[in-house]
Amino acid sequence: MKKVAVIGVGETKFGEHWYKSFRDLAVEAGIKSMEDANLERKDIGALFVGNMSAGKFIGQEHVASLVADHLGFSGIPCIRTESACASGSLAFRQALLSLQSGAYDAVMVEGVEKMTDIIGSQASLALMGAGDQEWEASVGLTFPGLYALIARRHMHEYGTTPEQLAMFSVNNHKNAVKNPDAQFRFEISVEDVLNSPLIADPLHLLDCSPITDGAASVLLATEDFIKKKKIKNPIWVLGSGQSSDTVALQDRKSLTSMFVTIDAAKKAYKQSGLKPKDIKIAEVHDCFSINGLVAIEDLGFCKKGEGGKFIEDGNISLGSTVSINTSGGLKAKGHPVGATGISQIIEIVKQLRGECEKRQVDAKYGLTHNIGGSGASCLVHIFGKEK
Amino acid sequence: MIKMVHRSSIPLHWRLYEPKYKLIGNKCLKCGESFFPPRNICPNCGRKGALKKIVFSGRGTIYSYTVIRTPLDGFEQQAPYVIGVIKLKEGPKIVGQIVDTEIRDITIGKEVKSVFRKIYDDSPSGLIHYGLKWVVIE
């Protein structure tokens, strides 16, 4: 199979961008990635855009052409991908497959979401579109509610505590302080989390990721292109895994383990020839603290049920056993749903290039983990400095 | 701003009449697994499966639960409300509100039964949605 690497990255700051529109954000991130790789329009074969729900957030569909149009890329083949909060990583994987197929030599992959143009309750409804509309939203179940059901069951089966969940958010915020692109650049304590309002018991406000505007863009290219253009410091894609499961949480065999994560990770580990113990840095999908905890178990960083203790013993902090969410994660860097997967990839690429300054970790390999809905889709990617 | 109205179509409720009001699902005669809501294809046996309509007993146990304190639009008046994952006696799980019980008395493993209730209304002049909720059997 053709070797493919990330050769350029660019993202907007994550947060509430009252003065920037969907297209402004997309163009800003796209141009940054072009400048980072020093490429021109003629080098780019296709554009992939990961976006969950522009239709509901800004009333705009047809966003792949919109982004191409405003980047000045008219004429380019462009593709929008949607897999709820995993839309960005899905765009990345489709771009990867297109390069491996030989269709293109270099492509741009963007993730974009503009979430703050509607009020919070409308955003909740839009996000609930990732669940089962007929059987979950219809009885009053919210997205925090879905993950609260997972958390309660995890506590019941394994004795996981609210304090251990809180520590996941605390770690994210600590890392976000060192990331200029993060939405929340301040530290929080376990007490802050436990004293914040309950949203859906046992999850508090500070167990939940925020509503965020943002865009992230990466350029992917084949080995031949990289050689021809003499591009320095490519970060190679070593493994790509994707899986799917029931959309409704009630239809899952287990509430405390995500089949999609286990399955996508198995595929990515196999392709890369690596094992969980080889991974020293990972960006995991912590839309809620419990999902970060379940992810580190299902990715194989610790045994099932021991995630709480693993976190409590300091195994996920910067430079420890496995540095989790050095970017600040979804909780503190922010979660502009369609952009999140690409933003995770950017963090791993910057880490492997050694560009993360105060939050820099020494690692040969890095992993990204991006979930859609309450676990109906998942993509796992593994990256390395060497082919 | 785009005003979103969720689930307001009348046919959407008509066509879910049997599972929503009567707890009717189906069972694959080949592998023996029961499904709620009813499925078009058995996920275990595929097209070789043989799905037959069954009526669930409406009895089950609480598998997990949460208290929703920031409700979806349409549920504001009910908040805080409890949503549980109910494991039906026949096997499948279903989510729904657990009502008529103090929050502190709700624990995993307690037995529940289904009751027919109003779920929510769209607006003062809109549709009133009915369906099943769950109560703890003491």
Side-chain angles (χ1 to χ4, degrees):
Chain A
M1 209 173 341
K2 284 192 185 194
K3 299 280 183 190
V4 171
V6 178
I7 59 167
V9 300
E11 65 184 3
T12 65
K13 183 175 167 54
F14 280 10
E16 296 174 340
H17 284 291
W18 308 112
Y19 290 98
K20 288 177 186 171
S21 66
F22 182 97
R23 63 191 73 181
D24 296 337
L25 294 166
V27 170
E28 182 182 328
I31 296 299
K32 279 182 180 168
S33 64
M34 295 285 279
E35 286 172 349
D36 184 50
N38 198 22
L39 292 194
E40 292 170 32
R41 158 68 184 92
K42 64 173 172 49
D43 299 318
I44 310 295
L47 168 70
F48 293 80
V49 178
N51 172 256
M52 174 181 165
S53 201
K56 283 181 179 166
F57 287 121
I58 59 167
Q60 177 73 58
E61 307 292 5
H62 213 169
V63 295
S65 289
L66 184 85
V67 175
D69 171 10
H70 288 271
L71 275 168
F73 281 12
S74 287
I76 199 169
C78 52
I79 303 98
R80 172 187 178 176
T81 62
E82 188 272 315
S83 189
C85 308
S87 299
S89 295
L90 179 61
F92 184 85
R93 181 173 153 84
Q94 294 308 308
L96 173 71
L97 297 176
S98 78
L99 292 173
Q100 288 172 335
S101 77
Y104 310 110
D105 302 316
V107 297
M108 178 185 278
V109 194
E110 280 230 36
V112 201
E113 209 78 59
K114 173 72 190 171
M115 300 173 74
T116 61
D117 277 355
I118 51 174
I119 58 171
S121 62
Q122 297 284 296
S124 295
L125 276 179
L127 291 170
M128 201 53 209
D132 188 324
Q133 282 295 311
E134 288 187 1
W135 296 99
E136 291 177 332
S138 61
V139 298
L141 188 49
T142 60
F143 236 82
L146 283 164
Y147 278 97
L149 292 168
I150 294 173
R152 177 87 66 190
R153 188 71 200 179
H154 203 283
M155 289 172 171
H156 176 78
E157 287 182 21
Y158 303 113
T160 304
T161 66
E163 287 78 9
Q164 289 169 338
L165 290 182
M167 285 171 200
F168 200 93
S169 294
V170 170
N171 179 62
N172 279 326
H173 273 255
K174 203 169 178 183
N175 293 340
V177 172
K178 298 171 179 152
N179 183 357
D181 289 336
Q183 184 168 6
F184 297 138
R185 301 188 65 199
F186 55 85
E187 289 203 35
I188 57 170
S189 66
V190 169
E191 293 70 36
D192 290 336
V193 179
L194 299 181
N195 291 331
S196 65
L198 278 164
I199 301 297
D201 312 15
L203 298 181
H204 293 80
L205 179 66
L206 293 178
D207 285 302
C208 310
S209 59
I211 301 281
T212 310
D213 300 327
S217 174
V218 298
L219 298 177
L220 267 175
T222 59
E223 189 174 12
D224 291 345
F225 182 92
I226 291 165
K227 273 186 191 159
K228 201 175 81 186
K229 292 271 182 182
K230 298 187 175 62
I231 289 165
K232 292 199 179 72
N233 231 353
I235 299 300
W236 300 94
V237 186
L238 304 181
S240 173
Q242 184 182 353
S243 190
S244 60
D245 200 358
T246 68
V247 171
L249 184 71
Q250 65 188 23
D251 294 340
R252 310 263 171 78
K253 295 271 182 282
S254 167
L255 252 55
T256 53
S257 175
M258 284 200 185
F259 165 77
V260 281
T261 298
I262 294 170
D263 193 43
K266 191 169 87 182
K267 291 166 182 168
Y269 283 134
K270 190 180 173 201
Q271 204 176 73
S272 65
L274 297 171
K275 293 191 165 63
K277 66 171 170 49
D278 299 317
I279 307 294
K280 295 289 169 220
I281 168 166
E283 290 286 306
V284 306
H285 195 94
D286 64 306
C287 47
F288 299 92
S289 55
I290 180 63
N291 203 23
L293 188 150
V294 170
I296 58 174
E297 294 176 346
D298 290 342
L299 289 167
F301 298 139
C302 62
K303 282 188 192 151
K304 186 79 243 160
E306 293 180 5
K309 189 169 183 305
F310 190 75
I311 296 165
E312 196 170 356
D313 291 348
N315 290 302
I316 66 163
S317 56
L318 212 59
S320 63
T321 313
V322 50
S323 303
I324 298 287
N325 294 359
T326 58
S327 70
L330 280 57
K331 170 68 195 81
K333 184 183 182 183
H335 186 24
V337 283
T340 292
I342 302 299
S343 136
Q344 292 178 317
I345 290 167
I346 291 178
E347 178 68 9
I348 294 298
V349 168
K350 283 184 173 174
Q351 284 284 358
L352 295 177
R353 284 177 176 179
E355 296 171 354
C356 282
E357 298 179 346
K358 285 179 182 168
R359 63 181 197 284
Q360 184 61 46
V361 173
D362 184 32
K364 260 174 94 174
Y365 310 107
L367 177 149
T368 61
H369 163 259
N370 197 192
I371 289 272
S374 64
S377 59
C378 179
L379 291 104
V380 172
H381 284 99
I382 297 174
F383 300 85
K385 291 184 205 176
E386 312 286 333
K387 279 175 275 180
Chain B
M1 198 181 80
I2 313 105
K3 173 67 183 165
M4 261 184 285
V5 180
H6 53 129
R7 307 173 296 279
S8 57
S9 137
I10 291 174
L12 193 160
H13 294 275
W14 281 348
R15 63 177 177 260
L16 293 175
Y17 174 84
E18 286 196 333
K20 269 200 169 171
Y21 293 176
K22 295 180 176 173
L23 210 59
I24 290 175
N26 55 14
K27 180 176 183 169
C28 177
L29 298 179
K30 189 153 187 283
C31 69
E33 190 171 341
S34 300
F35 304 103
F36 187 88
R39 287 186 169 268
N40 294 312
I41 297 274
C42 172
N44 305 319
C45 309
R47 282 184 291 132
K48 294 195 176 87
L51 291 168
K52 181 183 163 264
K53 196 185 276 191
I54 60 163
V55 184
F56 287 94
S57 62
R59 296 293 177 117
T61 52
I62 299 173
Y63 188 77
S64 189
Y65 68 97
T66 180
V67 185
I68 305 290
R69 295 174 193 273
T70 48
L72 281 183
D73 280 1
F75 292 87
E76 297 90 340
Q77 287 185 327
Q78 301 177 43
Y81 52 90
V82 178
I83 297 236
V85 177
I86 309 302
K87 188 163 174 53
L88 297 172
K89 211 173 71 182
E90 295 86 353
K93 296 191 280 296
I94 175 173
V95 294
Q97 278 193 38
I98 301 172
V99 291
D100 301 349
T101 311
E102 291 291 333
I103 291 174
R104 63 172 179 273
D105 294 332
I106 293 172
T107 53
I108 288 176
K110 278 207 173 165
E111 283 187 42
V112 290
K113 65 172 184 182
S114 63
V115 288
F116 191 75
R117 293 288 165 86
K118 181 172 135 180
I119 305 292
Y120 74 101
D121 40 34
D122 277 342
S123 66
S125 55
L127 288 179
I128 299 172
H129 301 267
Y130 292 92
L132 300 178
K133 293 186 179 179
W134 302 83
V135 295
V136 173
I137 311 168
E138 291 300 343

